[in-house]
């Protein structure tokens, strides 16, 4: 679980003009992509004891759940530098080790560090640290201690920090007692741990140590081992709100409209007055209004669409159904008398009554509702909500692995044996199209060091790591042993009875990180994403399954094959297809050419996967007629 951070900028100048604050924005970027910390509060106060103490005390209260409070500024020698003096009386237990670590690191950079007077310690269950005011100073101090903070904060929170100890030791390359080295059992299979990373090819396993699980078992394992996200407060303007699941029931606290509003531009009248010539005694425009004197019988008011209908009027006549009779002769010419032509005007005509669009107290969304479109975001805004509580969506890191891969951006063409990396762009655009934040982790070499470095980076920055390549039986297929041996990961399955995508691997690390190690073959990687990774991402962020399927995911429907398809005898197959409605309004599927797993061209024009059974399961070599399909795109247009 990430820790909430509160950042308090202490500066007279910045409190008067926040645009002068450079440290706040700088540290915000520092925390932006951190999976461990979330910058949840940021405020600026002047260099005054009372203001500093008020904010720090409120942030350190249990209700705020801020685990790390950082102040920036006011730690020097000038008369106004009083941050340590303001903070010290609030500290219940001092943490001199943190102060020492920051000072010794700073002294390596500048002798002026002796003029910094930081304090650090515990207030209730929060850790407070006073950082220098300059962006670089603050950052350098923070970097000196950041690696150990999760451990300290977990202890403060009363958590068992042994797991963290282990994780840290592992990242630092230590041997951790209890790391898996012997045969171990998983829910559906037992396997010997993958081969040693450094063992010679002559000693590699000649059979996969992973039993081949069925699609159904694979989905069950994903459902059981996918971690759950946490609740965050989201701005409604946050792009990630679309598709997010609400963690609160939203009730309208206002009436929409809050006042009787005109539906048209015209004149507010009393319906019982009928047609005739009336004086225009008031004007009601769609704007904030302070007074509304009201109309007497026989008077009318000019009004615009959306403006409040004055008391005394009970309907509005459109300007098209009126005539101007006379004007005033003041400095600004105004309407004086207007003839109402409309007959049979009914009470309430052209008026939106109070609460007629939405009544105060109406439940708009129940907890667990997934926001589906921008209009729903508008609905939240229409009742004055600028933030909602929702389940945080995971961030996803994408890593390609393979010594043969070349980034097209490098230019200079391919050398013999090289191929362009197509999985990374394919996966990044697919992941983003489903509304998840993606991190491009580049290409890792097929060696221990390259994989360790890139996987560490991915696990540091993202909740989900999706890799492609290096999961089958080749001597350079090192991902599975890397996950198990270097990261203490649990591989829940490492082979699935399916085509393409057989070596698809699902692993978790600790209780909050997920790795999907997809096959390198480009069609296999993209198919496996849609079938396994997407449902896991959805479950992680709180989307419920539909009651028919085990996991949330893409819509499934019945389609008719345009041509008969050949079945793989051993494995159920997911062929890429273009699904559309024919002239008889039937959903039909055309397979998109060659389906070999290396052929990413099979995705050209595809908007779905047709699910074909294994030949041996149905006792057939070919299939025709109706089959099940999974849609991943819109059924629009014909392929050209
Ligand atoms: N002896 C066996 N060999 C293989 C088996 C098996 O069961 N026994 N399984 C085959 C199946 S099925 C698949 S799928 C592949 C999976 O291979 P890996 O996941 O180990 O991937 P690599 O070996 O690294 O690469 C396979 C293939 O894909 C190309 N590739 C990889 N990454 C990319 C990328 N980012 N962009 C474009 N192309 C990529 C790579 O060059 C290879 O051609 O293993 C079979 N072998
Ligand atoms: O499972 Mo592999 O993906 O057939 O090529
Ligand atoms: Mg391979």
């Amino acid at each position: 679980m990430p820790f909430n951070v509160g950042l308090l900028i202490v500066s007279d100048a910045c409190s008067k003009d926040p645009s002068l604050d450079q440290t706040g924005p700088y540290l915000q970027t520092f925390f932006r992509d951190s999976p461990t910390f979330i910058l949840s509060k940021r405020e600026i106060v002047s260099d005054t004891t009372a203001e500093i103490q008020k904010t720090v005390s409120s942030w350190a209260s249990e209700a705020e759940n801020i685990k790390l409070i950082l102040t920036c500024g006011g730690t020097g020698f000038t008369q106004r530098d009083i941050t340590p003096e303001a903070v010290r009386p609030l500290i219940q237990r001092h943490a001199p080790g943190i102060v020492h670590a920051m000072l010794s690191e700073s002294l390596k950079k500048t002798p002026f560090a002796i003029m910094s007077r930081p304090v650090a310690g515990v207030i209730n269950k929060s850790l407070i640290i006073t950082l220098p005011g300059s962006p670089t100073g603050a950052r350098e101090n923070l970097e000196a201690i950041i690696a150990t903070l999760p451990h300290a904060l977990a202890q403060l929170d009363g958590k068992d920090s042994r797991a963290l100890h282990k994780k840290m030791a592992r990242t630092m390359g230590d041997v951790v007692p209890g790391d898996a080295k012997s045969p171990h059992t998983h829910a559906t299979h037992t396997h010997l741990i993958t081969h040693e990373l450094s063992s010679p090819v002559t000693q590699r396993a000649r059979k996969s140590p992973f039993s081949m699980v069925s699609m159904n078992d694979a989905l069950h394992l994903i459902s059981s081992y996918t971690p759950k996200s946490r609740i965050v407060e989201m701005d409604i303007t946050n792009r990630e709100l679309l598709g997010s699941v609400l963690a609160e029931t939203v009730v309208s606290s206002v009436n929409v409209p809050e006042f009787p509003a005109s539906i048209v531009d015209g004149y507010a009248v009393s319906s019982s007055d009928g047609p005739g010539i009336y004086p225009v005694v008031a004007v009601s425009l769609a704007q904030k209004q302070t007074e509304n004197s009201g109309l007497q019988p026989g008077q009318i008011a000019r009004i615009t669409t959306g403006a409040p209908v004055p008391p005394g009027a009970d309907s509005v006549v459109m300007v098209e159904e009126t005539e101007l009779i006379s004007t005033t002769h003041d400095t600004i010419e105004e309407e004086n008398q207007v003839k109402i032509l409309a007959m049979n005007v009914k009470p309430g005509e052209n008026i939106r009554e109070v609460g007629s669009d939405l009544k105060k107290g109406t439940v708009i969304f129940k907890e667990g509702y997934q926001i589906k479109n921008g209009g729903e975001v508008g609905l939240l805004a229409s009742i004055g909500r600028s933030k909602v509580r929702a389940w945080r969506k995971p961030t996803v890191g994408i890593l390609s692995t393979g010594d043969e891969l070349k980034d097209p951006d490098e230019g200079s063409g391919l050398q013999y044996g090289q191929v362009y990396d197509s999985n990374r762009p394919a996966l990044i655009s697919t992941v983003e199209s489903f509304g998840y934040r993606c991190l491009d982790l580049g290409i890792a070499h097929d060696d221990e060091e390259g994989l360790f470095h890139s996987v560490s980076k991915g696990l540091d920055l993202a909740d989900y790591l999706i890799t492609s390549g290096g999961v089958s039986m080749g001597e350079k297929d090192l991902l599975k042993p890397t996950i198990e041996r270097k990261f203490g990961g649990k591989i829940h399955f490492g082979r699935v009875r399916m085509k393409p995508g057989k070596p698809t691997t699902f692993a978790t690390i600790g209780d909050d990180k997920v790795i999907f190690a997809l096959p390198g073959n480009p069609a296999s990687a993209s198919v496996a994403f849609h079938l396994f990774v997407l449902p896991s991402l959805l479950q992680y962020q709180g989307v419920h399954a539909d009651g028919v399927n085990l996991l949330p995911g893409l819509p499934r429907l019945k389609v008719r094959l345009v041509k008969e398809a050949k079945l793989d005898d051993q494995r159920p197959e997911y062929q890429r297809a273009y699904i559309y409605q024919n002239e008889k309004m039937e959903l039909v599927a055309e397979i998109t050419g060659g389906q070999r797993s290396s052929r990413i061209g099979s995705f050209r024009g595809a908007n779905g996967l047709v699910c074909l059974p294994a030949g041996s399961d149905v006792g057939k070599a070919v299939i025709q007629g109706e089959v099940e399909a999974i849609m991943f795109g819109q059924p629009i247009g014909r392929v050209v």
Side-chain angles (χ1 to χ4, degrees), residues 52-102:
I52 298 170
Q53 290 188 340
K54 189 168 153 232
T55 315
V56 169
S57 305
S58 105
W59 286 0
S61 67
E62 292 240 345
E64 291 282 1
N65 194 30
I66 293 180
K67 299 298 177 203
L68 178 63
I69 302 172
L70 300 172
T71 68
C72 293
T75 60
F77 271 63
T78 74
Q79 279 299 313
R80 298 290 296 161
D81 289 331
I82 43 87
T83 307
E85 285 64 38
V87 169
R88 192 172 288 116
L90 304 178
I91 290 181
Q92 294 148 351
R93 287 182 292 153
H94 283 270
I98 291 179
V99 173
H100 184 83
M102 293 197 300

Side-chain angles (χ1 to χ4, degrees), residues 20-275:
L20 297 176
D21 173 28
Q22 293 183 353
T23 311
Y26 190 60
L27 290 188
Q28 185 166 25
T29 21
F30 180 86
F31 284 116
R32 195 181 49 209
D33 291 326
S34 168
T36 317
F37 298 100
I38 289 187
L39 190 55
S40 55
K41 292 263 184 208
R42 200 177 118 192
E43 276 183 33
I44 304 178
V45 292
S46 65
D47 292 278
T48 41
T49 306
E51 281 196 42
I52 298 170
Q53 290 188 340
K54 189 168 153 232
T55 315
V56 169
S57 305
S58 105
W59 286 0
S61 67
E62 292 240 345
E64 291 282 1
N65 194 30
I66 293 180
K67 299 298 177 203
L68 178 63
I69 302 172
L70 300 172
T71 68
C72 293
T75 60
F77 271 63
T78 74
Q79 279 299 313
R80 298 290 296 161
D81 289 331
I82 43 87
T83 307
E85 285 64 38
V87 169
R88 192 172 288 116
L90 304 178
I91 290 181
Q92 294 148 351
R93 287 182 292 153
H94 283 270
I98 291 179
V99 173
H100 184 83
M102 293 197 300
L103 285 179
S104 58
E105 202 50 41
S106 299
L107 280 167
K108 287 185 200 156
K109 309 243 161 54
T110 165
F112 290 106
I114 57 160
M115 292 175 66
S116 187
R117 308 176 300 111
V119 293
V122 174
I123 310 175
N124 303 330
K125 284 188 169 180
S126 309
L127 178 63
I128 182 160
I129 300 167
T130 63
L131 300 172
S134 75
T136 358
R139 186 177 181 129
E140 279 168 9
N141 274 243
L142 202 50
E143 280 175 347
I145 51 169
I146 195 94
T148 42
L149 288 184
H151 185 198
L153 295 174
Q155 271 199 355
L156 258 185
D157 224 14
K159 301 238 167 65
D160 176 6
S161 58
R162 277 171 302 179
L164 259 163
H165 253 312
K166 268 193 178 182
K167 205 162 151 186
M168 281 173 58
R170 226 172 247 125
T171 349
M172 292 165 180
D174 295 357
V175 175
V176 176
D179 262 7
K181 281 218 167 62
S182 50
H184 60 283
T185 309
H186 296 310
T188 55
H189 61 288
T190 305
H191 64 80
L192 284 169
I193 188 110
T194 41
H195 55 83
E196 289 281 356
L197 276 158
S198 50
S199 53
V201 66
T202 47
Q203 283 173 27
R204 74 163 151 177
R206 302 196 88 80
K207 290 263 182 305
S208 172
F210 293 90
S211 54
M212 184 124 74
V213 301
S214 67
M215 279 300 284
N216 208 24
D217 284 348
L219 293 171
H220 263 101
L221 287 165
I222 291 172
S223 168
S224 308
Y225 290 100
T226 290
K228 198 162 173 52
S229 177
R230 64 192 168 79
I231 297 168
V232 288
E233 196 168 59
M234 280 175 97
D235 283 343
I236 64 160
T237 49
N238 188 331
R239 278 171 51 193
E240 288 188 21
L241 184 59
L242 262 194
S244 287
V245 173
L246 294 177
E248 62 169 318
T249 294
V250 179
V251 178
S252 177
S253 56
V254 293
N255 280 307
V256 182
E258 280 277 37
F259 49 84
S262 178
I263 290 175
V264 295
D265 299 310
Y267 295 86
V269 302
S270 172
S271 58
S272 56
D273 283 349

Side-chain angles (χ1 to χ4, degrees), residues 204 206 208 212 399-406 417-425 427 443 446 468-474 476-479 495 498-504 517-522 524-525 571 597-598 600:
R204 74 163 151 177
R206 302 196 88 80
S208 172
M212 184 124 74
L399 174 68
S400 285
T401 73
D403 291 334
E404 77 281 32
L405 299 181
K406 176 134 187 185
Q418 287 189 312
V419 294
Y420 287 120
D421 172 11
S422 64
N423 286 346
R424 209 161 30 107
L427 290 169
I443 301 171
D446 283 324
S468 62
V471 283
S472 195
M473 296 296 289
K476 291 282 194 175
D477 291 338
L478 302 174
L479 250 170
R495 277 199 310 158
M498 66 183 296
K499 185 181 173 182
K502 184 174 69 174
T504 299
L518 307 181
N521 272 322
S524 315
R571 293 181 278 166
S597 57
S598 56
I600 190 65

Side-chain angles (χ1 to χ4, degrees), residues 171 399 450-462 465 487:
T171 349
L399 174 68
L451 287 177
F452 177 74
H453 171 79
S454 297
V455 172
S456 300
K457 189 170 159 201
L459 291 173
D460 275 348
L461 298 178
L465 173 61
F487 294 92

